[in-house]
Amino acid sequence: MKIGDLSRLTGTRVETIRFYEKEGLIPAPSRTGGNYRVYDQAHLNRLSFIRRSRDLGFTLDQVRALLDLSDDRLRSCGAVDELAREQLRSVERKIEDLQALQRELASLLNQCSQGTIAECRIIEALAPG
Amino acid sequence: MKIGDLSRLTGTRVETIRFYEKEGLIPAPSRTGGNYRVYDQAHLNRLSFIRRSRDLGFTLDQVRALLDLSDDRLRSCGAVDELAREQLRSVERKIEDLQALQRELASLLNQCSQGTIAECRIIEALAPG
DNA sequence: ATGCACCCTGAAGCCACTATAGGGTCAAGC
DNA sequence: GCTTGACCCTATAGTGGCTTCAGGGTGCAT
């Protein structure tokens, strides 16, 4: 499997795959005579794991931790659970922040009567007073 | 007013104020004999405007646009309205994405029975299959 | 004279990629 | 055998919005 195939199979850009390799998230694959990277099923599995973790919002450092944990089959999954729980909390905090923002913006827009800047409620709300 | 005073009054880090100046968001202030920046009320107003816009989630480019618009008192506020509307849409999109994420994480955590990694539902969900 | 809080500049670092420059490889078609 | 075009390679710089760091200077009190 060449890098483009891996890219298509995982929905990951080629540059991102090379970036993950440089970051040590994916082991360096063997090469063809023409210096092309050659991947196997293990690479595909690992990259899929990384992408799903990223899609769930984990940082690359968290993904690294999850990968390490997932290799240690006999260990308790408490650490995994804690990582996921922390991530959930962080997502919930972000949602709350954005909802507050949403309310503020909606309220500003509600007050805008489409006149001139001088009487614009939005600009007024931003300007200090 | 020295940079530290402006920092305290606006809740902006000193380094960030210097960064805004370098970015052209705040005009370069005059200096004391000792080369310290000296700010006045106009600077305070402008920085407050920037911070409030940032708090509402506008990018620095959008802030630049808002600042330009706010100087043009006679212009219609349609452009301001459009910027705010776009920002609201973007916030709403982010909320939806995060809520999907929240549901997924919560569901994973729900299934975790705190056993070993080998039987961990979270790792299982991340691993390809 | 010494300490301390504050100020200065310029450059590098953060995250997770993305883009760009400048090239090499390989199979197909003429 | 030569070209075309899709693909691959490396190394470096750029993105946004700051933050941090190195290495110094200022100003006031003790």
Side-chain angles (χ1 to χ4, degrees):
Chain A
M1 205 169 14
K2 281 188 295 180
I3 199 167
D5 304 320
L6 192 59
S7 165
R8 269 180 295 277
L9 284 170
T10 60
T12 312
R13 287 165 146 274
V14 165
E15 295 86 353
T16 305
I17 299 175
R18 288 195 283 248
F19 167 75
Y20 286 164
E21 179 183 329
K22 207 166 48 182
E23 288 292 298
L25 284 158
I26 296 177
S30 51
R31 303 280 182 128
T32 66
N35 201 29
Y36 285 13
R37 290 171 176 83
V38 187
Y39 297 98
D40 58 20
Q41 185 66 36
H43 288 102
L44 175 56
N45 291 351
R46 196 167 173 96
L47 180 55
S48 301
F49 186 104
I50 295 169
R51 293 310 288 187
R52 294 196 204 181
S53 305
R54 291 288 299 129
D55 285 347
L56 285 170
F58 290 102
T59 65
L60 286 189
D61 271 354
Q62 288 174 319
V63 174
R64 249 180 275 270
L66 286 170
L67 282 166
D68 283 357
L69 287 167
S70 77
D71 284 341
D72 197 352
R73 310 286 295 166
L74 293 177
R75 188 199 184 102
S76 153
C77 84
V80 174
D81 196 76
E82 186 43 48
L83 272 173
R85 216 169 281 284
E86 193 186 309
Q87 172 58 9
L88 178 58
R89 275 195 300 272
S90 144
V91 166
E92 283 170 347
R93 244 177 290 127
K94 276 181 199 151
I95 289 174
E96 277 166 35
D97 289 352
L98 286 173
Q99 279 171 341
L101 244 178
Q102 181 190 21
R103 280 191 296 274
E104 269 201 84
L105 282 166
S107 145
L108 281 182
L109 279 164
N110 227 10
Q111 289 166 33
C112 182
S113 51
Q114 297 281 8
T116 63
I117 291 281
E119 56 199 15
C120 178
R121 298 290 187 143
I122 299 173
I123 292 292
E124 206 174 284
L126 292 172
Chain B
M1 204 171 11
K2 281 188 296 179
I3 200 166
D5 304 319
L6 191 59
S7 165
R8 271 180 294 278
L9 284 171
T10 59
T12 311
R13 288 166 144 273
V14 166
E15 295 86 354
T16 306
I17 299 175
R18 289 196 281 247
F19 167 76
Y20 285 164
E21 179 183 328
K22 207 165 47 179
E23 288 292 300
L25 284 157
I26 296 177
S30 52
R31 302 281 181 128
T32 66
N35 201 28
Y36 286 13
R37 289 173 178 80
V38 187
Y39 296 98
D40 59 19
Q41 184 66 36
H43 289 103
L44 175 56
N45 291 352
R46 198 168 171 95
L47 181 53
S48 302
F49 187 103
I50 294 170
R51 294 309 290 185
R52 295 196 204 181
S53 306
R54 290 289 299 130
D55 286 346
L56 285 172
F58 289 103
T59 65
L60 287 188
D61 271 354
Q62 287 174 320
V63 174
R64 247 178 276 269
L66 286 170
L67 282 166
D68 282 356
L69 287 168
S70 77
D71 284 342
D72 198 350
R73 312 284 297 163
L74 293 177
R75 189 198 182 103
S76 153
C77 83
V80 175
D81 196 76
E82 186 44 47
L83 271 173
R85 217 168 279 283
E86 192 186 310
Q87 172 58 10
L88 178 59
R89 276 195 300 273
S90 144
V91 166
E92 284 170 346
R93 245 178 287 126
K94 277 182 199 151
I95 290 175
E96 276 166 35
D97 290 352
L98 285 173
Q99 280 171 340
L101 244 177
Q102 180 190 22
R103 281 191 295 274
E104 268 202 85
L105 281 166
S107 146
L108 281 181
L109 279 164
N110 226 11
Q111 290 167 33
C112 182
S113 50
Q114 297 283 6
T116 62
I117 291 282
E119 56 197 14
C120 178
R121 297 291 187 142
I122 299 172
I123 293 292
E124 206 175 284
L126 292 171

